[in-house]
Amino acid sequence: MDRLKRALRRINRIRSIAVLTGSGISAESGISTFRDKGGTWDNYDVEQVATYEGFSNNPSLVWEFYDKRRCEIKKTSPNNGHFALSKLERASEQNNVIFTLCTQNVDGLHHRAGNKNVLELHGNLWDAFCINCGLHVLLTETPLKTIPPKCSKCNNLLRPNVVWFGEPLCETTLNHAFEVMDCDILIVVGTSLLVYPVAYFPFLALRNNALVIEVNIEKTEASDCFLFVQGKAGETLSVITETIMDYLLDQNEKN
Ligand code: OAD
């Protein structure tokens, strides 16, 4: 962590910390990633289960896919990586540092670990909305009694509130995330950085002179641009966040 300490010393004052997570942070909770060997996209056809066209063709197939994931996720718990980030959020609050966690994950584990300021860029598996009247429904039962589920108001189809391929991200969330990338430190965890527009975020942060730390079990195509820390999120994140928290305390004492 000497590299990290040296990089932290170069920051005049830490005012804001951002985190960007992908499915790799939930891997140690037992949730499969998407593109690793044996990952979700090895076993399912993206076009069929993660596009609006796929949903229109066969809503039951899409809901069966999401219901299976919901059942699996319900049985899991946040891991040490998630908890390290919730601890960092609490420490940031105590030291008057703005903390925002942007996640591509739809599993809700960051909330369950105690993070509060979370931007769910790709939606949330526990939320659904009607394709006709837009009514949002919290769907927590697993497995679902009826597939595909219908709207209680107009009896049209509900769809999962997740962003599918070819769909834009929610504009408000995206604009907020752009602002968040104007930070002093960005920690990027467990993402292949292959899906846009999120893959741009670390470069936006770099352009804003942020220190960008990347945690992954293997290098991504962008790793050479960042302070790359190789290892599992559940093992390495706590060391990184403790180092940053020590620095926040020092900073507070000096002021
Ligand atoms: P990917 O499957 O593309 O990448 C997962 C990353 O996590 C890889 O770079 C792995 O090396 C890394 N990884 C695996 N285990 C890890 C661990 N224990 N600790 C740290 N890193 C680990 O998943 P995402 O980048 O999340 O979008 O994929 C982005 C988006 O593509 C998802 O949100 C989803 C998917 O299609 C939609 O469904 C719209």
Side-chain angles (χ1 to χ4, degrees), residues 21-29 31-37 39-41 46 49-50 65-66 69 79 103-106 121-123 162-167 169 188-196 198 214-220 229-237:
T21 63
S23 56
I25 194 166
S26 297
E28 288 154 81
S29 293
I31 302 172
S32 39
T33 60
F34 293 95
R35 294 174 186 79
D36 290 316
K37 202 166 174 290
T40 306
W41 299 148
V46 174
V49 298
F65 166 72
Y66 282 101
R69 288 184 68 199
N79 63 55
T103 186
Q104 297 168 90
N105 300 345
V106 295
L121 302 163
H122 289 167
V162 297
V163 176
W164 283 325
F165 285 91
E167 293 185 322
L169 268 60
V188 181
V189 191
T191 173
S192 57
L193 291 176
L194 288 174
V195 174
Y196 288 85
V198 176
E214 186 191 35
V215 176
N216 201 306
I217 50 171
E218 57 189 33
K219 278 191 163 188
T220 62
V229 180
Q230 187 156 20
K232 290 185 174 179
E235 292 165 7
T236 49
L237 260 185

Side-chain angles (χ1 to χ4, degrees), residues 5 8-14 95 245-255:
K5 285 182 185 157
L8 285 170
R9 277 197 291 270
R10 283 198 289 271
I11 304 176
N12 201 10
R13 184 179 166 78
I14 301 172
N95 291 285
M245 289 188 289
D246 283 348
Y247 194 90
L248 292 183
L249 276 179
D250 273 3
Q251 176 175 284
N252 229 0
E253 277 165 16
K254 278 184 199 141
N255 287 286

Side-chain angles (χ1 to χ4, degrees), residues 171-188:
E171 203 181 321
T172 321
T173 309
L174 186 61
N175 287 338
H176 189 172
F178 283 149
E179 285 167 17
V180 168
M181 293 306 129
D182 191 359
C183 54
D184 298 305
I185 300 175
L186 171 68
I187 310 174
V188 181

